[in-house]
């Protein structure tokens, strides 16, 4: 007499060195070519990057560039060329937005106007620099002009204090504009301009005068 039984094959999977018994449904799917439905993708480490790294925001780099702009004297030992040679977008944008916020006085349309002046003013400086023979990229000009608004932000609280003293207020405004223009011009106006430096320094100076007028005239 012949007797016996048909049993479900005992299939085991090797996962990470451990054998795990596979269910009947899993075996059924694999036997009919649908095993790919059971595959699990490994987590990609690149998908777990921090948000700042994903957006390419380096806070230490931004802080160092801020110090370079606020203290433009070569004797202080800062490598100021990093502001020009390693441009970023988020740092200057944050500075421009902060300058816009302190210029508001309840008028939110000023924010978009200041950002527009930053973008197109930087474009004008870039075109002038290229025409004069300067080797500079638009991203570099955009970063330098944006970061160099910091001196105008620094003098803003002083203007609130001495606003009633017209002479002192005017001197502080001139100091802030010269400070900002010097920080930007010392980075953008290189030796390649030679005798043409005033042709680029002058529009940079006018651009920061206009930025200051947006703050004081809102």
């Amino acid at each position: 007499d012949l007797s016996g039984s048909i049993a479900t094959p005992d299939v085991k999977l090797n996962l990470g060195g451990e054998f795990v018994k596979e269910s009947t449904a899993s075996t059924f799917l694999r036997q009919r070519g649908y095993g790919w439905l059971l595959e699990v993708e490994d987590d990609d480490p690149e998908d777990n990057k921090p948000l700042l790294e994903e957006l390419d925001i380096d806070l230490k780099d931004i802080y160092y560039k801020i110090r370079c702009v606020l203290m433009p004297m070569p004797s202080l030992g800062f490598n100021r060329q990093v502001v020009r040679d390693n441009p970023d977008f988020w740092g200057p944008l944050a500075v421009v937005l902060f300058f816009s916020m302190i210029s508001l006085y309840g008028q939110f349309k000023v924010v978009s106007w200041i950002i527009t002046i930053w973008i197109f003013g930087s474009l004008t400086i870039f075109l002038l620099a290229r025409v004069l023979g300067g080797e500079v990229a638009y991203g570099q000009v955009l970063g330098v002009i944006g970061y160099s608004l910091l001196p105008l932000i620094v003098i803003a609280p002083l203007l609130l204090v001495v606003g009633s003293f017209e002479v002192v207020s005017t001197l502080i405004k001139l100091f802030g504009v010269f400070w900002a223009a010097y920080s930007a011009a010392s980075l953008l106006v290189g030796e390649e301009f030679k005798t043409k430096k005033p042709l680029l320094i002058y529009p940079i100076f006018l651009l920061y005068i206009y930025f200051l007028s947006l703050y004081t005239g809102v």
Side-chain angles (χ1 to χ4, degrees):
D1 295 333
L2 299 177
S3 62
S5 62
I6 300 176
T8 303
D10 189 9
V11 180
K12 296 183 179 180
L13 299 179
N14 185 1
L15 300 176
E18 296 182 358
F19 287 94
V20 180
K21 186 176 180 179
E22 193 175 51
S23 64
T24 304
S26 300
T27 305
F28 178 81
L29 290 174
R30 291 188 185 279
Q31 289 176 347
R32 282 156 180 76
Y34 296 103
W36 55 272
L37 294 172
L38 305 174
E39 295 179 359
V40 179
E41 295 183 359
D42 295 333
D43 292 336
D44 189 353
E46 294 184 358
D47 295 337
N48 299 324
K49 290 182 179 179
L51 180 60
L52 293 180
E53 185 178 347
E54 191 72 26
L55 296 176
D56 196 20
I57 300 176
D58 190 343
L59 296 180
K60 291 183 179 180
D61 182 61
I62 293 175
Y63 174 66
Y64 185 81
K65 291 176 180 177
I66 289 175
R67 295 172 64 191
C68 290
V69 170
L70 290 178
M71 294 176 280
M73 303 305 294
S75 58
L76 296 176
F78 290 105
N79 181 21
R80 302 187 65 248
Q81 289 301 318
V82 72
V83 182
R84 169 179 171 170
D85 297 337
N86 186 25
D88 66 288
F89 176 74
W90 298 108
L93 178 62
V95 174
V96 173
L97 288 177
F98 188 68
F99 179 75
S100 303
M101 296 303 292
I102 65 174
S103 303
L104 279 179
Y105 292 105
Q107 302 184 36
F108 286 94
K109 61 183 179 181
V110 180
V111 176
S112 59
W113 181 240
I114 290 178
I115 293 177
T116 302
I117 296 301
W118 170 49
I119 293 174
F120 286 97
S122 299
L123 179 62
T124 303
I125 301 298
F126 164 71
L127 294 176
L128 287 173
R130 299 295 290 184
V131 169
L132 295 174
E135 296 294 332
V136 64
Y138 176 61
Q140 294 175 325
V141 178
L142 197 67
V144 170
I145 296 298
Y147 274 117
S148 296
L149 275 173
L150 286 167
L152 299 186
I153 295 176
V154 171
I155 68 170
L158 299 177
L159 293 177
L160 294 176
V161 175
V162 300
S164 58
F165 303 96
E166 186 175 352
V167 176
V168 179
S169 177
T170 302
L171 291 176
I172 292 177
K173 292 176 184 177
L174 289 175
F175 173 73
V177 171
F178 275 108
W179 186 4
Y182 176 78
S183 293
S186 61
L187 291 168
L188 294 177
V189 183
E191 293 298 328
E192 65 267 23
F193 293 100
K194 297 181 180 179
T195 58
K196 301 177 182 179
K197 289 183 179 181
L199 297 177
L200 191 59
I201 295 176
Y202 181 65
I204 292 175
F205 181 74
L206 292 181
L207 180 61
Y208 285 108
I209 288 180
Y210 189 69
F211 273 122
L212 184 64
S213 69
L214 291 175
Y215 168 71
T216 58
V218 174

